[in-house]
Amino acid sequence: MSAFAPWKHQQMKASSTLVAWAIVGIMFLSGRAQADLDGFVTEQTLKTIAEETSGGAAKRNLDQVTLYHRMRGSKQFRSAAEHILGQLQQYGYDNATILEYPADGETMFGTQKSRLVWEVDFAELWEIDSSGTRSERYASWAAMPLSVAQDSVSGKVTTELVDIGAGTNAADYAGKEIAGKLVLTVSQPETVVEKAVGELGAAGIISYAPNQKTAWWLQNDRLVRWGHLGSFSKTKSFAFMISLATARKLKARLADGETITLDAHIEARQEAGVHSVVTASIAGSDP
């Protein structure tokens, strides 16, 4: 027998005791919750609700909705809204409908100005090898809509990639030829667009910025994060989002003095439209 076995036995015994007490606590809380509900809802009503609800159906609806890239006012957002509307009507909500609000870049909703609809028809980012042939695809709207930064506009260019790091101060651009090039940055595209594109003439942006910095955001370097440009930015441009793993490989090659040529092509637009909001109500019994 291992010298550590007695300690393990005591640890397992203590763990079992904790689990047992946790179960007793959950049962007690569940009993209290049930008792509290009984004061407002009859047991038969609770039973009827339980028999009608379905976690499986809810998951199937969610599976359908997640197939759409639900950017404000877009065709895919509308498709998701129409799916939800159809399901509500199927469930018997005769008053279910879609409310429409202006997405025109002018109407104010409280302190927020309505943003224009953003639509993307096509977007791909390829590396071009020395023979002029496409060698690797880094981004595709059709395959992964998140690889295109929100509010990108149309653009088409075949040019070199330049690493600007954060791209937030003059030192990041020192000694680098930016005009007509694609810039690689760890910052959100919105943060660097005025300097890199507006002032220095970069052709577009390639970003590997995290959309949320947490204690563990660097642990999965294969994720492509949500990126954005400003809806009301003075400088209009486009940006592709790539993973941290891909960015690290590109940065290492650039640091070794290699020239990397990319072909960026995006067809996107901002236009006036509507925001679609699905609504339905359950009529009460008290007039």
Side-chain angles (χ1 to χ4, degrees):
M1 180 181 288
S2 166
F4 295 99
W7 176 81
K8 287 183 178 179
H9 175 72
Q10 292 298 324
Q11 185 185 46
M12 291 173 65
K13 183 177 179 181
S15 298
S16 299
T17 302
L18 288 172
V19 170
W21 277 110
I23 293 172
V24 170
I26 290 170
M27 292 174 65
F28 172 76
L29 291 174
S30 298
R32 280 296 299 274
Q34 179 70 39
D36 290 343
L37 282 173
D38 285 344
F40 299 96
V41 184
T42 66
E43 182 176 347
Q44 181 56 46
T45 300
L46 291 173
K47 183 174 181 295
T48 301
I49 292 173
E51 290 174 347
E52 287 294 328
T53 57
S54 169
K59 183 180 182 300
R60 284 195 297 274
N61 280 324
L62 181 60
D63 289 342
Q64 181 67 33
V65 169
T66 57
L67 295 176
Y68 303 109
H69 191 55
R70 302 175 307 283
M71 300 310 302
R72 60 174 195 274
S74 67
K75 290 181 291 186
Q76 291 197 45
F77 192 105
R78 182 71 182 205
S79 295
E82 289 175 350
H83 168 74
I84 295 172
L85 175 64
Q87 292 301 102
L88 287 172
Q89 292 171 336
Q90 181 179 323
Y91 299 151
Y93 289 87
D94 295 333
N95 58 13
T97 188
I98 294 179
L99 302 178
E100 296 181 345
Y101 299 94
D104 55 11
E106 297 179 0
T107 301
M108 296 295 295
F109 299 119
T111 59
Q112 292 271 333
K113 181 183 287 189
S114 171
R115 289 169 168 79
L116 291 167
V117 172
W118 178 59
E119 295 280 11
V120 179
D121 297 318
F122 175 86
E124 286 189 349
L125 178 68
W126 286 83
E127 180 171 349
I128 306 299
D129 63 22
S130 57
S131 68
T133 303
R134 291 176 170 182
S135 59
E136 185 172 358
R137 189 176 67 178
Y138 294 123
S140 165
W141 169 261
M144 183 185 291
L146 275 177
S147 62
V148 181
Q150 179 181 317
D151 283 316
S152 290
V153 296
S154 294
K156 191 175 188 332
V157 63
T158 301
T159 188
E160 295 177 16
L161 181 66
V162 179
D163 184 8
I164 60 170
T168 54
N169 57 67
D172 294 328
Y173 301 91
K176 299 173 182 178
E177 178 58 46
I178 302 298
K181 308 292 179 62
L182 292 168
V183 293
L184 177 65
T185 181
V186 69
S187 297
Q188 278 288 348
E190 181 181 26
T191 305
V192 302
V193 67
E194 298 299 345
K195 179 70 173 178
V197 179
E199 183 180 333
L200 299 177
I205 301 165
I206 313 298
S207 171
Y208 55 101
N211 58 315
Q212 293 179 340
K213 284 191 176 182
T214 64
W216 55 87
W217 74 272
L218 290 172
Q219 291 182 6
N220 189 342
D221 62 2
R222 295 172 298 171
L223 292 178
V224 175
R225 305 286 185 161
W226 174 72
H228 56 86
L229 288 152
S231 300
F232 303 105
S233 295
K234 179 177 64 176
T235 299
K236 299 296 183 182
S237 186
F238 65 83
F240 285 95
M241 305 301 296
I242 60 175
S243 70
L244 177 60
T246 298
R248 283 171 170 164
K249 293 176 182 178
L250 293 173
K251 287 171 68 69
R253 291 167 59 191
L254 291 171
D256 287 341
E258 184 178 347
T259 297
I260 299 176
T261 300
L262 300 179
D263 179 73
H265 181 193
I266 177 170
E267 296 174 11
R269 62 193 183 281
Q270 294 175 319
E271 58 189 16
V274 296
H275 299 295
S276 302
V277 180
V278 184
T279 181
S281 61
I282 302 174
S285 59
D286 185 350

mmCIF file with all atom_site columns, all heavy atoms in Angstrom, residues 14-36:
data_model
loop_
_atom_site.group_PDB
_atom_site.id
_atom_site.type_symbol
_atom_site.label_atom_id
_atom_site.label_alt_id
_atom_site.label_comp_id
_atom_site.label_asym_id
_atom_site.label_entity_id
_atom_site.label_seq_id
_atom_site.pdbx_PDB_ins_code
_atom_site.Cartn_x
_atom_site.Cartn_y
_atom_site.Cartn_z
_atom_site.occupancy
_atom_site.B_iso_or_equiv
_atom_site.pdbx_formal_charge
_atom_site.auth_seq_id
_atom_site.auth_comp_id
_atom_site.auth_asym_id
_atom_site.auth_atom_id
_atom_site.pdbx_PDB_model_num
ATOM 1   N N   . ALA A 1 14 ? -13.559 13.082 3.388  1.00 0.00 ? 14 ALA A N   1
ATOM 2   C CA  . ALA A 1 14 ? -13.976 14.471 3.580  1.00 0.00 ? 14 ALA A CA  1
ATOM 3   C C   . ALA A 1 14 ? -14.749 14.982 2.374  1.00 0.00 ? 14 ALA A C   1
ATOM 4   O O   . ALA A 1 14 ? -15.765 15.672 2.508  1.00 0.00 ? 14 ALA A O   1
ATOM 5   C CB  . ALA A 1 14 ? -12.744 15.347 3.823  1.00 0.00 ? 14 ALA A CB  1
ATOM 6   N N   . SER A 1 15 ? -14.274 14.608 1.166  1.00 0.00 ? 15 SER A N   1
ATOM 7   C CA  . SER A 1 15 ? -14.956 15.039 -0.052 1.00 0.00 ? 15 SER A CA  1
ATOM 8   C C   . SER A 1 15 ? -16.363 14.467 -0.117 1.00 0.00 ? 15 SER A C   1
ATOM 9   O O   . SER A 1 15 ? -17.316 15.155 -0.485 1.00 0.00 ? 15 SER A O   1
ATOM 10  C CB  . SER A 1 15 ? -14.162 14.600 -1.287 1.00 0.00 ? 15 SER A CB  1
ATOM 11  O OG  . SER A 1 15 ? -12.891 15.203 -1.298 1.00 0.00 ? 15 SER A OG  1
ATOM 12  N N   . SER A 1 16 ? -16.504 13.190 0.262  1.00 0.00 ? 16 SER A N   1
ATOM 13  C CA  . SER A 1 16 ? -17.819 12.567 0.245  1.00 0.00 ? 16 SER A CA  1
ATOM 14  C C   . SER A 1 16 ? -18.764 13.254 1.199  1.00 0.00 ? 16 SER A C   1
ATOM 15  O O   . SER A 1 16 ? -19.945 13.452 0.915  1.00 0.00 ? 16 SER A O   1
ATOM 16  C CB  . SER A 1 16 ? -17.696 11.083 0.615  1.00 0.00 ? 16 SER A CB  1
ATOM 17  O OG  . SER A 1 16 ? -16.887 10.408 -0.313 1.00 0.00 ? 16 SER A OG  1
ATOM 18  N N   . THR A 1 17 ? -18.225 13.625 2.382  1.00 0.00 ? 17 THR A N   1
ATOM 19  C CA  . THR A 1 17 ? -19.051 14.320 3.366  1.00 0.00 ? 17 THR A CA  1
ATOM 20  C C   . THR A 1 17 ? -19.536 15.656 2.826  1.00 0.00 ? 17 THR A C   1
ATOM 21  O O   . THR A 1 17 ? -20.715 16.023 2.971  1.00 0.00 ? 17 THR A O   1
ATOM 22  C CB  . THR A 1 17 ? -18.251 14.549 4.664  1.00 0.00 ? 17 THR A CB  1
ATOM 23  O OG1 . THR A 1 17 ? -17.822 13.283 5.160  1.00 0.00 ? 17 THR A OG1 1
ATOM 24  C CG2 . THR A 1 17 ? -19.114 15.246 5.719  1.00 0.00 ? 17 THR A CG2 1
ATOM 25  N N   . LEU A 1 18 ? -18.611 16.412 2.151  1.00 0.00 ? 18 LEU A N   1
ATOM 26  C CA  . LEU A 1 18 ? -18.990 17.701 1.577  1.00 0.00 ? 18 LEU A CA  1
ATOM 27  C C   . LEU A 1 18 ? -20.054 17.548 0.508  1.00 0.00 ? 18 LEU A C   1
ATOM 28  O O   . LEU A 1 18 ? -21.009 18.319 0.434  1.00 0.00 ? 18 LEU A O   1
ATOM 29  C CB  . LEU A 1 18 ? -17.750 18.394 0.991  1.00 0.00 ? 18 LEU A CB  1
ATOM 30  C CG  . LEU A 1 18 ? -16.741 18.942 2.007  1.00 0.00 ? 18 LEU A CG  1
ATOM 31  C CD1 . LEU A 1 18 ? -15.490 19.413 1.282  1.00 0.00 ? 18 LEU A CD1 1
ATOM 32  C CD2 . LEU A 1 18 ? -17.355 20.091 2.795  1.00 0.00 ? 18 LEU A CD2 1
ATOM 33  N N   . VAL A 1 19 ? -19.888 16.532 -0.349 1.00 0.00 ? 19 VAL A N   1
ATOM 34  C CA  . VAL A 1 19 ? -20.868 16.280 -1.403 1.00 0.00 ? 19 VAL A CA  1
ATOM 35  C C   . VAL A 1 19 ? -22.226 15.955 -0.798 1.00 0.00 ? 19 VAL A C   1
ATOM 36  O O   . VAL A 1 19 ? -23.269 16.448 -1.238 1.00 0.00 ? 19 VAL A O   1
ATOM 37  C CB  . VAL A 1 19 ? -20.407 15.134 -2.316 1.00 0.00 ? 19 VAL A CB  1
ATOM 38  C CG1 . VAL A 1 19 ? -21.535 14.716 -3.260 1.00 0.00 ? 19 VAL A CG1 1
ATOM 39  C CG2 . VAL A 1 19 ? -19.181 15.571 -3.108 1.00 0.00 ? 19 VAL A CG2 1
ATOM 40  N N   . ALA A 1 20 ? -22.223 15.139 0.257  1.00 0.00 ? 20 ALA A N   1
ATOM 41  C CA  . ALA A 1 20 ? -23.482 14.768 0.902  1.00 0.00 ? 20 ALA A CA  1
ATOM 42  C C   . ALA A 1 20 ? -24.193 15.987 1.463  1.00 0.00 ? 20 ALA A C   1
ATOM 43  O O   . ALA A 1 20 ? -25.405 16.162 1.305  1.00 0.00 ? 20 ALA A O   1
ATOM 44  C CB  . ALA A 1 20 ? -23.215 13.752 2.021  1.00 0.00 ? 20 ALA A CB  1
ATOM 45  N N   . TRP A 1 21 ? -23.430 16.850 2.145  1.00 0.00 ? 21 TRP A N   1
ATOM 46  C CA  . TRP A 1 21 ? -24.027 18.065 2.705  1.00 0.00 ? 21 TRP A CA  1
ATOM 47  C C   . TRP A 1 21 ? -24.519 18.992 1.597  1.00 0.00 ? 21 TRP A C   1
ATOM 48  O O   . TRP A 1 21 ? -25.541 19.661 1.741  1.00 0.00 ? 21 TRP A O   1
ATOM 49  C CB  . TRP A 1 21 ? -23.020 18.802 3.589  1.00 0.00 ? 21 TRP A CB  1
ATOM 50  C CG  . TRP A 1 21 ? -22.969 18.247 4.989  1.00 0.00 ? 21 TRP A CG  1
ATOM 51  C CD1 . TRP A 1 21 ? -21.955 17.551 5.556  1.00 0.00 ? 21 TRP A CD1 1
ATOM 52  C CD2 . TRP A 1 21 ? -24.009 18.322 5.968  1.00 0.00 ? 21 TRP A CD2 1
ATOM 53  N NE1 . TRP A 1 21 ? -22.271 17.175 6.839  1.00 0.00 ? 21 TRP A NE1 1
ATOM 54  C CE2 . TRP A 1 21 ? -23.537 17.647 7.127  1.00 0.00 ? 21 TRP A CE2 1
ATOM 55  C CE3 . TRP A 1 21 ? -25.290 18.867 5.988  1.00 0.00 ? 21 TRP A CE3 1
ATOM 56  C CZ2 . TRP A 1 21 ? -24.301 17.522 8.267  1.00 0.00 ? 21 TRP A CZ2 1
ATOM 57  C CZ3 . TRP A 1 21 ? -26.048 18.746 7.140  1.00 0.00 ? 21 TRP A CZ3 1
ATOM 58  C CH2 . TRP A 1 21 ? -25.563 18.083 8.271  1.00 0.00 ? 21 TRP A CH2 1
ATOM 59  N N   . ALA A 1 22 ? -23.768 19.037 0.470  1.00 0.00 ? 22 ALA A N   1
ATOM 60  C CA  . ALA A 1 22 ? -24.196 19.881 -0.654 1.00 0.00 ? 22 ALA A CA  1
ATOM 61  C C   . ALA A 1 22 ? -25.532 19.407 -1.210 1.00 0.00 ? 22 ALA A C   1
ATOM 62  O O   . ALA A 1 22 ? -26.416 20.204 -1.511 1.00 0.00 ? 22 ALA A O   1
ATOM 63  C CB  . ALA A 1 22 ? -23.138 19.863 -1.756 1.00 0.00 ? 22 ALA A CB  1
ATOM 64  N N   . ILE A 1 23 ? -25.697 18.069 -1.305 1.00 0.00 ? 23 ILE A N   1
ATOM 65  C CA  . ILE A 1 23 ? -26.957 17.517 -1.808 1.00 0.00 ? 23 ILE A CA  1
ATOM 66  C C   . ILE A 1 23 ? -28.102 17.849 -0.869 1.00 0.00 ? 23 ILE A C   1
ATOM 67  O O   . ILE A 1 23 ? -29.190 18.243 -1.288 1.00 0.00 ? 23 ILE A O   1
ATOM 68  C CB  . ILE A 1 23 ? -26.834 15.990 -2.001 1.00 0.00 ? 23 ILE A CB  1
ATOM 69  C CG1 . ILE A 1 23 ? -25.849 15.682 -3.134 1.00 0.00 ? 23 ILE A CG1 1
ATOM 70  C CG2 . ILE A 1 23 ? -28.200 15.365 -2.279 1.00 0.00 ? 23 ILE A CG2 1
ATOM 71  C CD1 . ILE A 1 23 ? -25.514 14.225 -3.276 1.00 0.00 ? 23 ILE A CD1 1
ATOM 72  N N   . VAL A 1 24 ? -27.839 17.704 0.450  1.00 0.00 ? 24 VAL A N   1
ATOM 73  C CA  . VAL A 1 24 ? -28.871 18.043 1.433  1.00 0.00 ? 24 VAL A CA  1
ATOM 74  C C   . VAL A 1 24 ? -29.262 19.515 1.301  1.00 0.00 ? 24 VAL A C   1
ATOM 75  O O   . VAL A 1 24 ? -30.437 19.881 1.329  1.00 0.00 ? 24 VAL A O   1
ATOM 76  C CB  . VAL A 1 24 ? -28.373 17.748 2.862  1.00 0.00 ? 24 VAL A CB  1
ATOM 77  C CG1 . VAL A 1 24 ? -29.349 18.324 3.892  1.00 0.00 ? 24 VAL A CG1 1
ATOM 78  C CG2 . VAL A 1 24 ? -28.224 16.252 3.063  1.00 0.00 ? 24 VAL A CG2 1
ATOM 79  N N   . GLY A 1 25 ? -28.241 20.388 1.109  1.00 0.00 ? 25 GLY A N   1
ATOM 80  C CA  . GLY A 1 25 ? -28.507 21.817 0.970  1.00 0.00 ? 25 GLY A CA  1
ATOM 81  C C   . GLY A 1 25 ? -29.348 22.119 -0.253 1.00 0.00 ? 25 GLY A C   1
ATOM 82  O O   . GLY A 1 25 ? -30.296 22.913 -0.193 1.00 0.00 ? 25 GLY A O   1
ATOM 83  N N   . ILE A 1 26 ? -29.017 21.477 -1.374 1.00 0.00 ? 26 ILE A N   1
ATOM 84  C CA  . ILE A 1 26 ? -29.779 21.696 -2.614 1.00 0.00 ? 26 ILE A CA  1
ATOM 85  C C   . ILE A 1 26 ? -31.210 21.234 -2.439 1.00 0.00 ? 26 ILE A C   1
ATOM 86  O O   . ILE A 1 26 ? -32.158 21.905 -2.861 1.00 0.00 ? 26 ILE A O   1
ATOM 87  C CB  . ILE A 1 26 ? -29.101 20.951 -3.782 1.00 0.00 ? 26 ILE A CB  1
ATOM 88  C CG1 . ILE A 1 26 ? -27.771 21.622 -4.132 1.00 0.00 ? 26 ILE A CG1 1
ATOM 89  C CG2 . ILE A 1 26 ? -30.017 20.925 -5.001 1.00 0.00 ? 26 ILE A CG2 1
ATOM 90  C CD1 . ILE A 1 26 ? -26.926 20.832 -5.108 1.00 0.00 ? 26 ILE A CD1 1
ATOM 91  N N   . MET A 1 27 ? -31.389 20.075 -1.771 1.00 0.00 ? 27 MET A N   1
ATOM 92  C CA  . MET A 1 27 ? -32.746 19.566 -1.532 1.00 0.00 ? 27 MET A CA  1
ATOM 93  C C   . MET A 1 27 ? -33.535 20.525 -0.665 1.00 0.00 ? 27 MET A C   1
ATOM 94  O O   . MET A 1 27 ? -34.713 20.791 -0.896 1.00 0.00 ? 27 MET A O   1
ATOM 95  C CB  . MET A 1 27 ? -32.679 18.186 -0.872 1.00 0.00 ? 27 MET A CB  1
ATOM 96  C CG  . MET A 1 27 ? -32.128 17.095 -1.794 1.00 0.00 ? 27 MET A CG  1
ATOM 97  S SD  . MET A 1 27 ? -31.902 15.524 -0.942 1.00 0.00 ? 27 MET A SD  1
ATOM 98  C CE  . MET A 1 27 ? -33.597 15.120 -0.552 1.00 0.00 ? 27 MET A CE  1
ATOM 99  N N   . PHE A 1 28 ? -32.848 21.089 0.349  1.00 0.00 ? 28 PHE A N   1
ATOM 100 C CA  . PHE A 1 28 ? -33.516 22.044 1.240  1.00 0.00 ? 28 PHE A CA  1
ATOM 101 C C   . PHE A 1 28 ? -33.931 23.296 0.472  1.00 0.00 ? 28 PHE A C   1
ATOM 102 O O   . PHE A 1 28 ? -35.075 23.756 0.585  1.00 0.00 ? 28 PHE A O   1
ATOM 103 C CB  . PHE A 1 28 ? -32.573 22.418 2.382  1.00 0.00 ? 28 PHE A CB  1
ATOM 104 C CG  . PHE A 1 28 ? -33.105 23.536 3.248  1.00 0.00 ? 28 PHE A CG  1
ATOM 105 C CD1 . PHE A 1 28 ? -34.118 23.304 4.169  1.00 0.00 ? 28 PHE A CD1 1
ATOM 106 C CD2 . PHE A 1 28 ? -32.595 24.818 3.118  1.00 0.00 ? 28 PHE A CD2 1
ATOM 107 C CE1 . PHE A 1 28 ? -34.610 24.333 4.951  1.00 0.00 ? 28 PHE A CE1 1
ATOM 108 C CE2 . PHE A 1 28 ? -33.091 25.858 3.892  1.00 0.00 ? 28 PHE A CE2 1
ATOM 109 C CZ  . PHE A 1 28 ? -34.109 25.606 4.822  1.00 0.00 ? 28 PHE A CZ  1
ATOM 110 N N   . LEU A 1 29 ? -32.990 23.824 -0.330 1.00 0.00 ? 29 LEU A N   1
ATOM 111 C CA  . LEU A 1 29 ? -33.294 25.021 -1.101 1.00 0.00 ? 29 LEU A CA  1
ATOM 112 C C   . LEU A 1 29 ? -34.395 24.763 -2.117 1.00 0.00 ? 29 LEU A C   1
ATOM 113 O O   . LEU A 1 29 ? -35.280 25.591 -2.336 1.00 0.00 ? 29 LEU A O   1
ATOM 114 C CB  . LEU A 1 29 ? -32.034 25.526 -1.805 1.00 0.00 ? 29 LEU A CB  1
ATOM 115 C CG  . LEU A 1 29 ? -30.951 26.112 -0.877 1.00 0.00 ? 29 LEU A CG  1
ATOM 116 C CD1 . LEU A 1 29 ? -29.698 26.428 -1.688 1.00 0.00 ? 29 LEU A CD1 1
ATOM 117 C CD2 . LEU A 1 29 ? -31.458 27.369 -0.171 1.00 0.00 ? 29 LEU A CD2 1
ATOM 118 N N   . SER A 1 30 ? -34.345 23.586 -2.748 1.00 0.00 ? 30 SER A N   1
ATOM 119 C CA  . SER A 1 30 ? -35.374 23.251 -3.723 1.00 0.00 ? 30 SER A CA  1
ATOM 120 C C   . SER A 1 30 ? -36.737 23.172 -3.048 1.00 0.00 ? 30 SER A C   1
ATOM 121 O O   . SER A 1 30 ? -37.746 23.611 -3.581 1.00 0.00 ? 30 SER A O   1
ATOM 122 C CB  . SER A 1 30 ? -35.048 21.916 -4.400 1.00 0.00 ? 30 SER A CB  1
ATOM 123 O OG  . SER A 1 30 ? -33.822 22.015 -5.099 1.00 0.00 ? 30 SER A OG  1
ATOM 124 N N   . GLY A 1 31 ? -36.738 22.591 -1.840 1.00 0.00 ? 31 GLY A N   1
ATOM 125 C CA  . GLY A 1 31 ? -37.982 22.511 -1.095 1.00 0.00 ? 31 GLY A CA  1
ATOM 126 C C   . GLY A 1 31 ? -38.521 23.873 -0.743 1.00 0.00 ? 31 GLY A C   1
ATOM 127 O O   . GLY A 1 31 ? -39.724 24.140 -0.857 1.00 0.00 ? 31 GLY A O   1
ATOM 128 N N   . ARG A 1 32 ? -37.607 24.783 -0.327 1.00 0.00 ? 32 ARG A N   1
ATOM 129 C CA  . ARG A 1 32 ? -38.023 26.144 -0.006 1.00 0.00 ? 32 ARG A CA  1
ATOM 130 C C   . ARG A 1 32 ? -38.569 26.856 -1.233 1.00 0.00 ? 32 ARG A C   1
ATOM 131 O O   . ARG A 1 32 ? -39.585 27.537 -1.179 1.00 0.00 ? 32 ARG A O   1
ATOM 132 C CB  . ARG A 1 32 ? -36.841 26.937 0.561  1.00 0.00 ? 32 ARG A CB  1
ATOM 133 C CG  . ARG A 1 32 ? -36.548 26.676 2.026  1.00 0.00 ? 32 ARG A CG  1
ATOM 134 C CD  . ARG A 1 32 ? -37.732 27.125 2.903  1.00 0.00 ? 32 ARG A CD  1
ATOM 135 N NE  . ARG A 1 32 ? -37.990 28.547 2.772  1.00 0.00 ? 32 ARG A NE  1
ATOM 136 C CZ  . ARG A 1 32 ? -37.372 29.483 3.498  1.00 0.00 ? 32 ARG A CZ  1
ATOM 137 N NH1 . ARG A 1 32 ? -36.470 29.137 4.401  1.00 0.00 ? 32 ARG A NH1 1
ATOM 138 N NH2 . ARG A 1 32 ? -37.660 30.764 3.325  1.00 0.00 ? 32 ARG A NH2 1
ATOM 139 N N   . ALA A 1 33 ? -37.854 26.671 -2.375 1.00 0.00 ? 33 ALA A N   1
ATOM 140 C CA  . ALA A 1 33 ? -38.291 27.316 -3.612 1.00 0.00 ? 33 ALA A CA  1
ATOM 141 C C   . ALA A 1 33 ? -39.667 26.809 -4.017 1.00 0.00 ? 33 ALA A C   1
ATOM 142 O O   . ALA A 1 33 ? -40.538 27.566 -4.438 1.00 0.00 ? 33 ALA A O   1
ATOM 143 C CB  . ALA A 1 33 ? -37.280 27.055 -4.729 1.00 0.00 ? 33 ALA A CB  1
ATOM 144 N N   . GLN A 1 34 ? -39.867 25.478 -3.879 1.00 0.00 ? 34 GLN A N   1
ATOM 145 C CA  . GLN A 1 34 ? -41.156 24.901 -4.210 1.00 0.00 ? 34 GLN A CA  1
ATOM 146 C C   . GLN A 1 34 ? -42.247 25.463 -3.304 1.00 0.00 ? 34 GLN A C   1
ATOM 147 O O   . GLN A 1 34 ? -43.336 25.816 -3.745 1.00 0.00 ? 34 GLN A O   1
ATOM 148 C CB  . GLN A 1 34 ? -41.091 23.373 -4.064 1.00 0.00 ? 34 GLN A CB  1
ATOM 149 C CG  . GLN A 1 34 ? -42.407 22.658 -4.370 1.00 0.00 ? 34 GLN A CG  1
ATOM 150 C CD  . GLN A 1 34 ? -42.754 22.712 -5.839 1.00 0.00 ? 34 GLN A CD  1
ATOM 151 O OE1 . GLN A 1 34 ? -41.882 22.601 -6.681 1.00 0.00 ? 34 GLN A OE1 1
ATOM 152 N NE2 . GLN A 1 34 ? -44.023 22.921 -6.153 1.00 0.00 ? 34 GLN A NE2 1
ATOM 153 N N   . ALA A 1 35 ? -41.904 25.555 -1.985 1.00 0.00 ? 35 ALA A N   1
ATOM 154 C CA  . ALA A 1 35 ? -42.877 26.084 -1.037 1.00 0.00 ? 35 ALA A CA  1
ATOM 155 C C   . ALA A 1 35 ? -43.221 27.536 -1.351 1.00 0.00 ? 35 ALA A C   1
ATOM 156 O O   . ALA A 1 35 ? -44.383 27.946 -1.273 1.00 0.00 ? 35 ALA A O   1
ATOM 157 C CB  . ALA A 1 35 ? -42.316 25.965 0.385  1.00 0.00 ? 35 ALA A CB  1
ATOM 158 N N   . ASP A 1 36 ? -42.195 28.320 -1.730 1.00 0.00 ? 36 ASP A N   1
ATOM 159 C CA  . ASP A 1 36 ? -42.437 29.720 -2.075 1.00 0.00 ? 36 ASP A CA  1
ATOM 160 C C   . ASP A 1 36 ? -43.340 29.836 -3.306 1.00 0.00 ? 36 ASP A C   1
ATOM 161 O O   . ASP A 1 36 ? -44.231 30.680 -3.363 1.00 0.00 ? 36 ASP A O   1
ATOM 162 C CB  . ASP A 1 36 ? -41.107 30.437 -2.328 1.00 0.00 ? 36 ASP A CB  1
ATOM 163 C CG  . ASP A 1 36 ? -40.314 30.605 -1.037 1.00 0.00 ? 36 ASP A CG  1
ATOM 164 O OD1 . ASP A 1 36 ? -40.915 30.472 0.038  1.00 0.00 ? 36 ASP A OD1 1
ATOM 165 O OD2 . ASP A 1 36 ? -39.096 30.868 -1.133 1.00 0.00 ? 36 ASP A OD2 1
#
